[in-house]
Each structure stands twice: as structure tokens, then as C-alpha cells.
Amino acid sequence: MSGASDKARFYLEQSVPELQELERKQIFSKDEISAIARKRADFEHKLNARGARPADFAQYAEYEMNLEALRRKRVRRSGAQVNPYSGQRRIFFVLDRATRKFHGDVGLWMQYAEYARREKANRKFVQIVTAMLRLHPTNADLWVYAATYALDVQGDMTGARTYMQRGLRFCKRCKDLWIQYGKLEMIYLGKIEGRRQVLGIDHATNALEADGLAVQTATERDTEANTNGSEQIIPSTKPLHSSPALSGAIPLAIFDAAMQEFPKDELLAARFFDLFAEFPRLSCTRTLLQHAVTAQLALAPQASSALACSFRLPLIGIDHQWADFPAALRLSFERLRNGLDVTLDQSALALVAIDWLLPLLKVDGLDDSVRTALGLMLRKVVGTLQHSAKQGGGIMDENLATAMKKIASAGFPEEANLLRLTNDPNTASTLVPSSTS
């Protein structure tokens, strides 16, 4: 059996009882069984010969997956009783051989893991991922993949954290892994807060506090002796925000650890800011955002990325219909004006401001005075871009052209206005939002 043909024959003979059963129960016809056997023989000879490639194993596994899908459809239609796991077992066998022969090919490992995931073979998936990470510990994407599966499919946050922390031991200098770890924690906090809202836990806690009932915590005293000397259990109504793990302490610790690893990287802090801003409704989001902005301004107070995060912060999580929206907008405008005066890169900050202003102008039901204020601020930002372009020695630079395309697509419409904007220094004062913005 040392020859390639002997190995191929050995593997083919193992599938004969299965094919005979499928033919006997009329799942496949005799001609189809012959075609399946010929196709498998071609693959097996190719895989066991010298010069086999990872693509050959991938194609073989794909063929078996398609065949298994067809078999399941026909079994469901005919109602025949057959072994439901024979096809799955064969596919696992092919992929196991592939990863043993080409253990350095991440694509084969991912095909193996994804198939186990689709089949909901959780125990097999864990075995595959464990072997994959043992062979590729410096691939940060694999650690993120394993942690995401642990949280989303198994609901195991402890396991997900373990994957991320082990990954950071091997990939400490991978910024994306730090970001993904923070994102994983924010997703978990979102699930916890959403669950509490559905169950009405926070509402019940607030009602008890409003009635003046004493709130006892485990750190104070969870049991009291009653008059008979026995212990009476006092249920804790401790609010969500008082728990460090559920009030943003872990994402905050991840941010601080990342900044210690990259002490002068304000762009990484800006990426964390954008990550936290993706979860505006969490109770801890504003604290995390303020912490990220403070860290950026301490590192580079004149950097456009830090100043951009600073002026965006007040409006994050604030709806335009809320009473505190005008005050938050006023604070954002103040920070934006100061930022344009002190930044080392006015063009970059102005482009971020335009991206921030245009969606606000397109909000339905916006108050007219607020819309006017946004239009005036947009004029100032465009004027800053013009001034920056002229200082650079040209009438229009790439940043100004990019800004005008964005403005035109958002409803500052005619090309004539855009041409006047680039050639006439007074045009910035006449730029106003269209009524449909």
C-alpha cells in the first residue's frame, strides 16, 4: 500500500458500502453511482500522487460538500432512512488529510473550520481551531475568529477573552487585535444592557430607588438575621453602572494597555474612539469616548485626528429632537473653531468636519435655526480649505476637489457654484444648504 494507486484504492474501497446503500435505497441511480466513483477515483489518484496541491484537496472537499447537499435533498424528498452523518464524516476526513499534509496553509484550515461551523459540529470546531492556533499563533485574524465564535455561537465570554488574551501574547504589536478585543467587549456590554432592558431589570431598580427603599449590596450585607435567629435573604438591587465590569472598566483597561504598548500613536487612540462611537447607546460610551479624547490631546494636542475626535464627541449619542442637542452642537462648533485655529493640518481637519456636517444637514425634521447654524459652519470650513489651498500655491488642491464632490452629492448642487467656490474667494460666504438637504 506504499504506492499512490494502492492508497487511492484503499480510500475508495472504504466508500463502497455507502454507495451500495445509496443505490439500494434509490437515492442515486446506478449511472450516478458510477459517476461518483469515477470522480472520487480521479481525486484520490491526484491527491496521493506526487505534486498534490492544497487546491486539489479544496476542490475535492467542495465536490463532496455539493454531493452531500444533493444527497440530503433527495433523502428528505424520498423519506428513506440512511446514515445522516456518513457524508459529513467523509468531508471531515478529506479536510483532515489536507491540513495534515499542508499544515501551513491557512486557507485549508479556514475551509475546515467553516464547514464544522456550518454543520454545528461544535466539539469538532474547537478541536480544529485549537490545532490551527497551535500551528499559527502569530496570525491575529485566527484569534479574532476563534473569539468571535466563542461569543456569538457558544455564548462563552470567558472563552472569548481567553482567546484574545492568548492572541495578544503572540501578537502584542498587532493594532488590529487590540481594536478587535475592545470591540468584543463592547458587543458583550451591548448584549448585557439589551437583555436587562428587555427583562426590565434597570426599570425595576429605578422604581425601588424612587420609592425610597434601601439598596443593599453584597459588599455591605446580603443577609440579615430575622427575629427567630435565622437568616433572611435580601435581594440585591445594585444598578448596572455600579459594577466595574459592566460599566466599561474592561474596554477602558484594554485601551490603556494598548496605549502603553504604542505610547505615541494618537491614530490608534482615534481608532479606539471610532470603535466606542459605534455603540452610542451604551451607558459607558461617553466615559470611554472622553477618556480616548483626553489621551489623544495629551499625546498630540495639535493633531487633526485628536481635534476631530474632540469636536465630534459632544453630539455622539444625542438625538436632534432632544432638548440638549443645541447645547451639544454649540460645544462641537466651539471645539471645531478652536481646532481649525490650532491644528497643524487644516485640510485634514476640514475634510473630517465636512464629513461630519453633511449628514447632519440631511437629517429630516431638523430645526431651521439649527440647519442655518450648520450651513454657516460649513461655509467656514470650506473657506478654511480654500485658504489652505491658496497657501499651498495652487487654486485648487486634491483636498478641495474631494470636498466639493462631497458637497455636490449632498445637495450643494450646480457645477457653476462649485466653480465659483474654487475661483472666487467670496463664494464661501454665499454657500448655503439647499432646501432638500
Side-chain angles (χ1 to χ4, degrees):
M1 290 177 54
S2 59
S5 58
D6 292 335
K7 288 184 179 180
R9 188 179 302 110
F10 172 74
Y11 290 132
L12 290 171
E13 287 174 355
Q14 290 181 327
S15 66
V16 170
E18 174 199 354
L19 294 177
Q20 290 176 341
E21 181 185 16
L22 293 175
E23 182 182 1
R24 185 172 63 255
K25 296 187 176 181
Q26 298 182 350
I27 304 300
F28 292 113
S29 66
K30 186 174 182 179
D31 292 339
E32 289 173 330
I33 294 294
S34 299
I36 293 172
R38 283 196 302 270
K39 192 70 174 178
R40 285 179 175 175
D42 292 340
F43 277 120
E44 288 294 347
H45 282 92
K46 188 182 294 185
L47 298 187
N48 290 284
R50 290 183 180 180
R53 303 169 302 163
D56 298 330
F57 282 95
Q59 291 172 4
Y60 190 13
E62 191 68 30
Y63 169 78
E64 291 292 344
M65 290 177 193
N66 295 333
L67 180 62
E68 175 63 9
L70 177 61
R71 185 192 70 85
R72 289 180 180 179
K73 287 182 180 178
R74 292 191 178 182
V75 168
R76 204 160 41 240
R77 188 186 310 146
S78 64
Q81 297 294 324
V82 297
N83 185 354
Y85 300 107
S86 59
Q88 181 190 91
R89 187 165 52 246
R90 183 171 186 83
I91 295 168
F92 279 141
F93 178 64
V94 171
L95 290 171
D96 184 65
R97 290 164 58 194
T99 52
R100 287 177 183 274
K101 187 176 182 66
F102 299 101
H103 49 77
D105 193 296
V106 177
L108 284 176
W109 281 107
M110 289 302 299
Q111 186 181 15
Y112 196 4
E114 276 300 303
Y115 178 71
R117 182 173 185 166
R118 288 198 305 270
E119 294 294 305
K120 299 181 180 179
N122 295 327
R123 184 177 301 178
K124 186 70 173 179
F125 179 88
V126 172
Q127 293 174 355
I128 295 167
V129 167
T130 301
M132 179 170 58
L133 292 175
R134 188 180 295 120
L135 291 169
H136 303 277
T138 58
N139 190 324
D141 293 336
L142 299 183
W143 292 106
V144 175
Y145 177 76
T148 303
Y149 176 85
L151 178 61
D152 293 345
V153 178
Q154 296 180 317
D156 182 8
M157 188 60 194
T158 301
R161 286 179 180 142
T162 300
Y163 280 126
M164 282 296 188
Q165 290 164 6
R166 288 179 179 175
L168 287 172
R169 294 178 190 173
F170 293 99
C171 313
K172 190 178 293 186
R173 301 296 297 176
C174 179
K175 298 176 184 179
D176 289 339
L177 189 57
W178 286 101
I179 294 292
Q180 291 298 324
Y181 190 12
K183 185 175 182 179
L184 192 78
E185 291 291 345
M186 295 298 289
I187 291 173
Y188 179 65
L189 287 175
K191 289 183 176 181
I192 293 296
E193 287 203 13
R195 189 175 303 157
R196 291 177 67 97
Q197 290 174 3
V198 170
L199 297 175
I201 295 176
D202 292 332
H203 177 74
T205 301
N206 294 334
L208 286 173
E209 293 174 350
D211 290 340
L213 297 179
V215 178
Q216 288 189 311
T217 65
T219 57
E220 296 171 351
R221 187 176 178 85
D222 285 336
T223 62
E224 288 184 350
N226 61 14
T227 56
N228 296 326
S230 60
E231 289 188 340
Q232 179 183 4
I233 304 300
I234 306 298
S236 174
T237 53
K238 187 175 180 179
L240 175 68
H241 312 288
S242 61
S243 174
L246 299 179
S247 60
I250 297 179
L252 197 66
I254 293 170
F255 174 83
D256 290 339
M259 297 314 298
Q260 288 179 3
E261 189 67 30
F262 304 94
K264 297 182 180 180
D265 195 339
E266 72 276 4
L267 294 179
L268 178 61
R271 290 181 64 186
F272 269 102
F273 179 91
D274 293 335
L275 166 64
F276 298 148
E278 294 177 8
F279 303 86
R281 302 303 181 192
L282 294 184
S283 58
C284 63
T285 296
R286 188 153 295 273
T287 301
L288 296 172
L289 291 172
Q290 184 60 58
H291 187 77
V293 169
T294 302
Q296 289 181 77
L297 293 176
L299 286 173
Q302 294 179 310
S304 60
S305 59
L307 294 169
C309 294
S310 178
F311 81 73
R312 288 167 51 202
L313 171 60
L315 279 185
I316 293 177
I318 305 295
D319 191 87
H320 72 281
Q321 296 179 342
W322 293 358
D324 48 355
F325 179 82
L329 183 63
R330 191 180 306 113
L331 180 58
S332 291
F333 282 174
E334 180 181 347
R335 293 183 179 183
L336 177 55
R337 293 190 192 95
N338 294 337
L340 290 172
D341 292 336
V342 303
T343 183
L344 299 176
D345 191 349
Q346 284 189 333
S347 296
L349 185 60
L351 285 175
V352 175
I354 289 174
D355 288 335
W356 175 73
L357 287 165
L358 292 178
L360 289 174
L361 281 165
K362 297 170 71 174
V363 171
D364 294 331
L366 198 63
D367 186 79
D368 290 339
S369 60
V370 173
R371 191 181 299 278
T372 301
L374 290 169
L376 292 172
M377 179 53 68
L378 185 61
R379 299 174 198 171
K380 177 177 176 59
V381 172
V382 172
T384 301
L385 268 178
Q386 285 182 306
H387 180 70
S388 206
K390 290 182 179 179
Q391 279 189 334
I395 296 179
M396 177 171 55
D397 66 356
E398 184 179 350
N399 289 333
L400 187 57
T402 301
M404 286 190 298
K405 289 179 182 178
K406 293 178 179 178
I407 293 172
S409 63
F412 293 86
E414 297 83 2
E415 292 184 4
N417 284 342
L418 295 179
L419 290 173
R420 286 201 302 273
L421 178 63
T422 58
N423 293 312
D424 185 0
N426 297 321
T427 307
S429 63
T430 63
L431 182 64
V432 294
S434 67
S435 59
T436 60
S437 298

